[in-house]
Amino acid sequence: MSQTQTESKLTSADVQPAVFVRMAAVVRMTGLGRSTIYRLMAEDKFPSPVRLAKRAVAWRRIDLEQWSAGRPTVSH
């Protein structure tokens, strides 16, 4: 089966909608402060937000989960 045929058989149940997370939730999820998040963004070490409106931004939850999974872990 070709990729085009496979893609055409996907239903709306197979495709998950994007979930957006605002700053307060990002702070809770990551344990980082706002200034640290913005510093990491400036250093290209944190996912960039998506503009929702003229004065509103949010992050894609999947981007945050992938970023978190790629972080080094420390065992004591």
Side-chain angles (χ1 to χ4, degrees):
M1 186 179 296
S2 73
Q3 185 174 353
T4 307
Q5 290 172 332
T6 304
E7 289 174 356
S8 66
K9 291 187 179 207
L10 293 176
T11 64
S12 60
D14 297 328
V15 179
Q16 300 212 357
V19 176
F20 295 103
V21 182
R22 299 294 301 268
M23 177 57 86
V26 173
V27 168
R28 284 192 305 272
M29 287 174 62
T30 63
L32 302 173
R34 289 173 45 101
S35 59
T36 302
I37 291 169
Y38 284 118
R39 180 179 49 80
L40 290 173
M41 285 172 43
E43 297 171 358
D44 291 327
K45 295 180 181 179
F46 195 81
S48 296
V50 175
R51 183 162 301 283
L52 301 177
K54 186 175 180 179
R55 295 181 49 170
V57 298
W59 285 259
R60 290 182 191 92
R61 184 177 188 95
I62 190 72
D63 291 345
L64 296 172
E65 290 170 352
Q66 290 172 349
W67 174 84
S68 181
R71 302 283 292 168
T73 57
V74 177
S75 60
H76 294 279

